[in-house]
């Protein structure tokens, strides 16, 4: 079965420190991976995606993610966290079966950045 | 360019009533996806539609739920005879005409359904 796992319910970091939000996946075929962020009572905002090419993907708001095929991981990173980065983060994999492009989401990781 | 629009933002229904959720995709987008987010959970795919066609409804409950995306007007997610377990946030996403994996989906703000 194709799935996405985010092993941490919550990640706490101090402002200015680097942050990592973990994601592992299980898919058959090539993985197409996405990160989204959700602020309270809002919809999801796209951060970045990996389709092919360089394993290090750069996205919005200074975030980046590293695709690691051997470890089947796609961890989200940022060199220096901001308090405003505090939100709920979702990793997702896109399934390309037939003509569908639906996303399978992980359960989400709450990021808390403390001043 | 307006984003994905959903209305209402909040909907309260009593058990047994019907809920209608509307989604207007971004301009130029012909693909619509519906997802449900239960409390403390991630988003779960429900249905994928193109204009006048249901492409993938593998995530839809077998009963009471239906979706449409008519030639004119918004996409509608309809829940008949709602029960308390239907209380959730329902998100709509849209994307341009499908070109493989390259298109990210753009999400609306969601409709929060509360069933009393």
């Amino acid at each position: 079965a194709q799935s996405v796992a985010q092993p941490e319910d919550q990640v706490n970091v101090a402002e200015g420190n680097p942050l990592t939000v973990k994601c592992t996946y299980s898919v058959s075929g090539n993985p197409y991976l996405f990160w989204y962020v959700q602020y309270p009572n809002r919809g999801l905002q796209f951060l970045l995606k990996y389709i092919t090419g360089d394993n290090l993907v750069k996205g919005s708001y200074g975030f980046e993610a590293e695709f690691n095929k051997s470890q089947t991981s796609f961890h989200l990173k940022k060199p220096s966290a901001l308090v405003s980065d505090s939100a709920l983060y979702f990793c997702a994999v896109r399934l390309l079966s037939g003509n569908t492009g639906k996303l399978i989401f992980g359960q989400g990781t709450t990021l808390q950045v403390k001043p | 360019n307006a984003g994905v629009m959903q209305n209402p933002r909040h909907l309260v229904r009593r058990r047994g009533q019907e809920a209608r959720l509307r989604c207007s995709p971004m301009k130029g987008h012909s693909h619509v996806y519906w997802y449900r987010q239960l409390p403390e959970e991630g988003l779960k795919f429900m249905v994928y539609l193109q204009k006048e066609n249901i492409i993938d409804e593998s995530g839809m409950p077998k009963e009471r739920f239906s979706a449409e995306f008519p030639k004119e007007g918004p996409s509608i997610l309809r829940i008949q005879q709602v029960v308390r377990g239907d209380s959730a946030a329902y998100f709509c996403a849209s994307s341009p005409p499908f070109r493989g994996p390259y298109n990210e989906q753009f999400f609306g703000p969601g409709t929060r359904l509360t069933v009393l």
Side-chain angles (χ1 to χ4, degrees):
Chain A
Q2 314 204 58
S3 63
V4 175
Q6 294 178 241
E8 302 155 316
D9 289 337
Q10 182 157 327
V11 170
N12 298 308
V13 297
E15 188 174 29
N17 282 0
L19 69 87
T20 298
V21 182
K22 295 180 180 177
C23 171
T24 59
Y25 64 89
S26 174
V27 299
S28 55
N30 292 325
Y32 304 106
L33 298 157
F34 298 78
W35 276 101
Y36 284 84
V37 59
Q38 184 181 30
Y39 295 97
N41 298 314
R42 303 283 295 277
L44 275 68
Q45 296 179 32
F46 169 77
L47 279 179
L48 51 78
K49 65 183 176 185
Y50 173 81
I51 304 298
T52 187
D54 290 341
N55 290 341
L56 186 64
V57 179
K58 294 189 183 296
S60 306
Y61 312 120
F63 284 93
E64 57 189 29
E66 186 167 11
F67 171 66
N68 187 317
K69 188 173 183 178
S70 63
Q71 297 186 4
T72 62
S73 67
F74 189 55
H75 300 331
L76 182 69
K77 300 181 179 185
K78 188 173 182 180
S80 178
L82 300 173
V83 172
S84 58
D85 292 330
S86 299
L88 183 57
Y89 290 80
F90 289 101
C91 182
V93 63
R94 187 161 203 177
L95 300 184
L96 295 182
S97 172
N99 194 28
T100 187
K102 65 184 178 186
L103 292 170
I104 305 298
F105 285 88
Q107 63 269 41
T109 297
T110 298
L111 174 65
Q112 280 278 8
V113 181
K114 298 190 187 304
Chain B
N1 187 12
V4 178
M5 310 280 283
Q6 289 188 252
N7 67 80
R9 295 290 306 275
H10 300 273
L11 182 61
V12 179
R13 287 287 179 266
R14 297 191 180 280
R15 282 179 296 168
Q17 291 184 319
E18 179 179 288
R20 281 183 180 242
L21 289 62
R22 295 175 187 79
C23 169
S24 296
M26 288 180 68
K27 188 176 181 181
H29 287 192
S30 55
H31 295 228
V32 166
Y33 304 79
W34 285 94
Y35 295 84
R36 176 166 65 174
Q37 185 178 32
L38 294 169
E40 308 300 324
E41 293 188 16
L43 280 76
K44 304 291 186 188
F45 168 80
M46 299 182 74
V47 63
Y48 163 42
L49 309 104
Q50 298 176 20
K51 287 283 187 181
E52 301 184 280
N53 284 303
I54 297 175
I55 307 301
D56 181 353
E57 57 181 346
S58 58
M60 288 280 269
K62 298 297 182 199
E63 298 177 343
R64 302 187 296 108
F65 284 71
S66 62
E68 63 176 6
F69 188 17
K71 186 177 181 181
E72 301 291 339
S75 174
I76 306 287
L77 179 67
R78 182 182 178 204
I79 311 172
Q80 295 178 291
Q81 299 176 316
V82 296
V83 301
R84 288 216 174 103
D86 297 332
S87 296
Y90 292 82
F91 290 96
C92 170
S94 74
S95 67
F98 191 68
R99 297 191 195 98
Y102 299 96
N103 295 343
E104 60 266 25
Q105 295 175 14
F106 295 83
F107 282 79
T111 293
R112 280 155 183 81
L113 172 65
T114 301
V115 180
L116 301 177

